Amino acid sequence: MEAEKPSDFIREIVETDLRAGTHGGAVVTRFPPEPNGYLHIGHAKSICLNFGIAREYGGRCHLRFDDSNPTTEDMEFVRSIQEDVRWLGFDWGEHLHFASDYFEALYDYALALIEQGLAYVDSSSEAEIRERRGTVTEPGTPGPFRDRSIAENRELFTDMRAGKYPDGAHVLRARIDLASPNMKMRDPLLYRIRHAHHYRTLDRWCIYPLYDFTHCLSDSIERITHSICTLEFENNRELYDWILEHVGVPEPRPHQYEFARLNLNYTVMSKRRFIELVETGKVRGWDDPRMPTLAGVRRRGYTPEALRAFAARIGVSKHNSVVELGLLEFTAREDLDPRSPRAMAVLRPLELVIDGWPAGKVDTLDAPYWPDAARPGSRPVPMSGRLYIERDDFALEPPRGWHRLAPGARVRLRHSEVIECTGVETDAAGEPLRVRAKLVEPTARVKGTLHWVSAEHAVDAEVRLYERLFSAEQPGSDGRDVLDDLNPDSLVVVTAKCEPSLAAARPGERFQFERQGYFYVDPVDSRPGAPIFNRTVTLRDTWAKLVQREQAPAAEAEREAREVIHVESELPPGARALRDAHGLDAGSARVLAGSPALEALFRGALAAGAEPRAAASWLVSELPASGVAPEAARFDGPALAALIALVERGAITRTVGKEVLIELARSGGAPEAIVGARGAHALDEGALAALVDEIIAANAPLVARYRAGNPNLLGALVGQVMKRSAGRADAKRAGELLRARLG
């Protein structure tokens, strides 16, 4: 089922980096969950991507717990996450990490930013900070604490760590740009005070770093090469790069790449909602088989192979979309069919009496477990003159096309005889109580086959019929509360009549109940001799589909069309043409083809000599930071090509190039002229060496602490070089010169 080797824009980036030797041939990814809940199906996509890439390219993938919020994290979640990752078929080896392991290093990095004047302690309230941040159309305004001295900020921050202030008294913020079009860059918070017990560090800390500060630096400490996250963090990438650059992490740094998260219809993927469902008793815990948690789908009977195949089938894209839950169910059926032996169980029994059957007679049938006659394995199935059939398999007044049992109708009993219905006994309301039938010649031609169980030998078993947890395709849409869309029939418990062999079913075994679906023996509640069966997924019901078509053919046709689109996951023709003609990754091709203005800029840059992947990267990844819509951008393709050429020949750094692109988008002009007006050409070797010596002389305290054994402060010194040079210095070369001079 699983593709031999997937192809997507992330893997194309990895292959490009490997060819270029960007990270010395290393591929190091990470899966960084917060231990504040159980993982869900969406995480499975990320796990398969990160661990899969590491496996395919001979690298490694770290499991790192982003545990910087002591109020929500727990060791229970750590254990469950480890179990889920292993269940999916992946292992992190020796590379189990925790962000809390890096708290001391992160604290030193924060001090380094303070020493450079790039971070300050803000004593404003949360409401005041929010009010001064501005809006998407209005810049933020500085607060009264933004210009505190370096010495005062250092003292306040060390006192925060020492526990001298209550929660909320101060925060540490980066000092960046309150007018930035990217709201994430408007002096983001780096640390806050939390007098809370941490499940690992206990009470040693009372200040905790926020996600944006923790994540990029943890990546750097672990030497991650490709930091892969979902699209909601796209705007965070600029801050990710800013922090790494200004604490002095040399190139090649980790780089963040975003892909579309998994969204399923009839499903929510929110830990907050999961907690609400669990705590209000709407479900029976995190591993309730209705939950889209990995623990839930595992208990329901899904296999890791099915989830890996599903992740491969939906692929990796840069565009958010909603995947049909039916595709997951289709993948599960495809996976379970060859691994599930067949058995018979009647879920809603209706008694059937075969007239003329000799009293006490029992036939023992040798029923195969598999429909493939060449596959070995069978079990004995007793048959008597009194049977149970499904209530839904009988109709007093059958509709057109009915091939099941009805007065005068003939059907075959699975593995056994052909019968003809001769009568029915009903209750006062006209509902069938008992069906009577007779045997007819076994060679009679019939169109229907029914499963059945001998009434005298039937084994009672609890069967849990699980359906979708939500009845709405988009739970909570149109202003409704998500809980209002809960499906009241998401769990129906019945006592089924099962063939005798099922009494010996053991926890964790799977069966296909013929004509019913795939079932899994519950590993928690089952007991020896008393299995409980969870329905994983139903079989296709051709009759129900026929009725649905007659009732709403247009809606059914539309749904089938959507399913085909999701199954095939094909690029639109225009995107496919761009990908094939220029060697672009699928995500970039889709973005360019989806915007006539972007595609025109791209083609104009190519005509002016730009390399296709470079042009696509600048347009897709960097232009959004300008806040200017592509159709409103004030530059053309040749200008973009000129900018790319400046960066590639080393005339300017990529950092400066990003700033020039923003100015081009907003104001137009020629890249070379903008660089000249800014005096932003890259420093030559002599000028860079002189600047490094100047920074060393001006930062004696930092230099002393570095030489005393604090290597993290090298980043602060590189950051000073980058700040003093206004981005004109090559950070990697600056780091090399600093190391050489400092010994």
Side-chain angles (χ1 to χ4, degrees):
M1 287 177 53
E2 298 174 69
E4 291 185 4
K5 186 173 181 182
S7 178
D8 52 65
F9 78 97
I10 296 288
R11 287 174 169 87
E12 290 174 5
I13 289 169
V14 171
E15 290 174 2
T16 299
D17 287 344
L18 285 173
R19 286 192 296 269
T22 304
H23 299 280
V27 175
V28 186
T29 59
R30 82 291 168 270
F31 175 61
E34 297 177 65
N36 60 359
Y38 282 56
L39 299 183
H40 54 65
I41 297 174
H43 291 114
K45 178 179 178 181
S46 180
I47 292 169
C48 291
L49 179 60
N50 280 287
F51 280 92
I53 283 176
R55 179 182 291 175
E56 291 161 26
Y57 295 100
R60 67 177 187 269
C61 183
H62 297 187
L63 175 61
R64 179 174 74 235
F65 289 95
D66 184 7
D67 56 349
S68 58
N69 185 354
T71 63
T72 62
E73 296 155 355
D74 193 275
M75 189 57 73
E76 173 195 353
F77 300 131
V78 171
R79 287 191 291 266
S80 75
I81 290 168
Q82 290 177 297
E83 181 181 1
D84 287 342
V85 174
R86 285 196 176 103
W87 175 74
L88 274 174
F90 302 104
D91 195 275
W92 49 91
E94 299 177 353
H95 296 285
L96 174 63
H97 303 289
F98 295 82
S100 54
D101 290 336
Y102 310 137
F103 280 174
E104 193 68 48
L106 297 178
Y107 176 77
D108 286 339
Y109 280 127
L111 281 175
L113 289 178
I114 290 173
E115 296 290 349
Q116 298 176 73
L118 296 176
Y120 64 98
V121 175
D122 194 338
S123 306
S124 305
S125 69
E126 183 179 347
E128 290 169 335
I129 291 174
R130 187 184 308 112
E131 182 180 352
R132 294 192 189 107
R133 187 162 284 161
T135 68
V136 293
T137 58
E138 298 177 353
T141 55
F145 309 105
R146 194 171 192 261
D147 294 322
R148 277 174 163 157
S149 69
I150 289 175
E152 184 180 4
N153 284 318
R154 184 193 313 116
E155 180 179 1
L156 282 169
F157 190 54
T158 55
D159 286 347
M160 286 167 59
R161 175 179 179 170
K164 294 184 179 181
Y165 304 108
D167 290 6
H170 308 289
V171 294
L172 182 71
R173 299 178 68 179
R175 196 175 193 275
I176 306 180
D177 180 7
L178 289 171
S180 173
N182 183 350
M183 299 290 285
K184 295 288 184 182
M185 300 298 288
R186 296 187 183 182
D187 290 12
L189 274 63
L190 304 180
Y191 269 84
R192 76 289 208 206
I193 301 171
R194 285 276 173 87
H195 289 275
H197 183 81
H198 190 280
Y199 76 107
R200 290 189 77 243
T201 62
L202 309 180
D203 298 312
R204 291 196 293 275
W205 291 88
C206 61
I207 58 170
Y208 291 93
L210 278 85
Y211 169 84
D212 283 312
F213 191 67
T214 305
H215 186 70
C216 61
L217 291 171
S218 298
D219 282 349
S220 175
I221 291 168
E222 294 176 20
R223 303 195 183 284
I224 301 301
T225 60
H226 299 83
S227 183
I228 305 167
C229 60
T230 46
L231 275 177
E232 61 262 38
F233 295 101
E234 186 172 21
N235 288 337
N236 301 58
R237 187 190 341 127
E238 186 177 1
L239 180 55
Y240 183 105
D241 292 340
W242 185 92
I243 291 172
L244 292 183
E245 178 179 338
H246 288 86
V247 302
V249 175
E251 293 281 9
R253 306 183 189 108
H255 190 75
Q256 177 178 302
Y257 303 94
E258 306 87 20
F259 70 100
R261 63 181 294 174
L262 172 60
N263 296 300
L264 284 172
N265 61 0
Y266 296 99
T267 312
V268 296
M269 298 286 193
S270 162
K271 285 183 181 177
R272 180 175 65 86
R273 288 301 189 182
F274 295 164
I275 292 170
E276 186 177 9
L277 289 167
V278 171
E279 292 184 347
T280 58
K282 299 293 191 300
V283 295
R284 300 176 179 178
W286 288 91
D287 67 342
D288 187 304
R290 292 168 291 180
M291 290 278 277
T293 57
L294 294 184
V297 299
R298 178 165 66 246
R299 187 173 176 185
R300 185 160 173 166
Y302 280 80
T303 69
E305 292 84 0
L307 288 188
R308 293 200 301 267
F310 176 63
R313 181 166 271 153
I314 60 177
V316 178
S317 169
K318 285 186 71 74
H319 302 276
N320 284 318
S321 60
V322 178
V323 177
E324 296 277 353
L325 184 57
L327 179 56
L328 174 61
E329 294 168 345
F330 169 82
T331 306
R333 293 186 188 99
E334 192 177 44
D335 169 76
L336 292 170
D337 181 70
R339 68 169 79 229
S340 302
R342 275 47 170 178
M344 294 192 291
V346 176
L347 306 184
R348 296 177 176 85
L350 174 64
E351 186 179 358
L352 182 146
V353 176
I354 301 176
D355 293 327
W357 186 276
K361 178 186 176 184
V362 176
D363 286 346
T364 301
L365 310 175
D366 186 42
Y369 276 122
W370 309 102
D372 181 1
R375 189 169 181 178
S378 62
R379 78 282 187 193
V381 175
M383 179 174 177
S384 64
R386 193 167 66 92
L387 311 176
Y388 290 121
I389 63 170
E390 287 291 342
R391 173 64 188 83
D392 293 342
D393 282 343
F394 177 80
L396 277 169
E397 298 180 3
R400 182 171 56 87
W402 182 260
H403 297 313
R404 306 178 191 180
L405 202 57
R410 292 181 175 184
V411 296
R412 182 177 299 279
L413 298 176
R414 182 71 167 141
H415 306 300
S416 185
E417 308 282 355
V418 176
I419 61 171
E420 178 182 316
C421 178
T422 57
V424 59
E425 301 172 21
T426 61
D427 61 16
E431 291 297 318
L433 291 174
R434 184 176 296 106
V435 174
R436 308 199 74 88
K438 67 178 182 180
L439 298 177
V440 298
E441 60 276 14
T443 57
R445 294 176 61 87
V446 295
K447 292 186 177 180
T449 299
L450 306 186
H451 65 282
W452 53 274
V453 173
S454 171
E456 297 176 19
H457 305 89
V459 174
D460 286 348
E462 179 178 322
V463 175
R464 298 170 179 174
L465 304 175
Y466 290 105
E467 285 288 352
R468 297 170 178 180
L469 184 56
F470 294 94
S471 55
E473 187 167 359
Q474 296 180 350
S477 60
D478 299 327
R480 301 186 307 275
D481 187 276
V482 166
L483 297 185
D484 292 339
D485 288 329
L486 283 171
N487 177 8
D489 298 319
S490 61
L491 170 59
V492 175
V493 180
V494 300
T495 300
K497 301 293 184 180
C498 303
E499 65 173 71
S501 68
L502 290 173
R506 293 170 296 183
E509 288 189 316
R510 294 178 172 83
F511 296 89
Q512 185 197 104
F513 288 177
E514 298 204 40
R515 301 180 60 249
Q516 295 288 0
Y518 296 96
F519 290 79
Y520 182 66
V521 184
D522 189 276
V524 178
D525 296 334
S526 296
R527 297 293 179 265
I532 294 173
F533 296 95
N534 297 332
R535 184 169 67 191
T536 306
V537 64
T538 61
L539 294 176
R540 297 188 184 278
D541 189 333
T542 55
W543 170 249
K545 209 164 192 177
L546 176 63
V547 172
Q548 190 176 28
R549 283 182 184 277
E550 290 179 348
Q551 292 175 344
E556 177 67 14
E558 181 184 353
R559 176 173 294 280
E560 286 200 349
R562 291 205 307 271
E563 287 178 355
V564 169
I565 290 170
H566 284 299
V567 170
E568 293 180 351
S569 299
E570 290 188 351
L571 284 173
R576 195 182 317 124
L578 284 174
R579 180 197 64 186
D580 296 342
H582 303 293
L584 305 181
D585 63 84
S588 295
R590 192 186 295 268
V591 173
L592 294 174
S595 167
L598 274 181
E599 185 173 354
L601 288 170
F602 174 73
R603 294 190 181 281
L606 298 194
E611 195 276 326
R613 291 193 182 191
S617 173
W618 282 89
L619 290 171
V620 173
S621 300
E622 307 301 346
L623 181 58
S626 70
V628 178
E631 56 272 14
R634 303 288 297 276
F635 66 91
D636 56 16
L640 176 61
L643 173 61
I644 293 171
L646 287 173
V647 174
E648 291 185 345
R649 71 170 184 260
I652 59 175
T653 64
R654 189 175 179 92
T655 299
V656 170
K658 293 177 184 179
E659 296 173 356
V660 173
L661 181 67
I662 291 173
E663 185 167 340
L664 284 172
R666 295 175 180 175
S667 306
E672 185 67 57
I674 295 172
V675 171
R678 290 180 169 218
H681 284 91
L683 297 181
D684 60 26
E685 184 74 6
L688 178 58
L691 179 57
V692 165
D693 291 337
E694 181 184 333
I695 294 299
I696 290 173
N699 289 273
L702 283 179
V703 169
R705 290 170 62 194
Y706 174 83
R707 285 175 166 157
N710 193 337
N712 291 330
L713 293 178
L714 180 70
L717 295 169
V718 174
Q720 290 273 32
V721 173
M722 299 304 296
K723 180 181 178 183
R724 190 75 62 85
S725 69
R728 297 168 56 213
D730 181 289
K732 181 178 180 180
R733 183 60 184 144
E736 293 170 350
L737 289 172
L738 283 164
R739 285 192 188 90
R741 281 161 167 71
L742 297 178

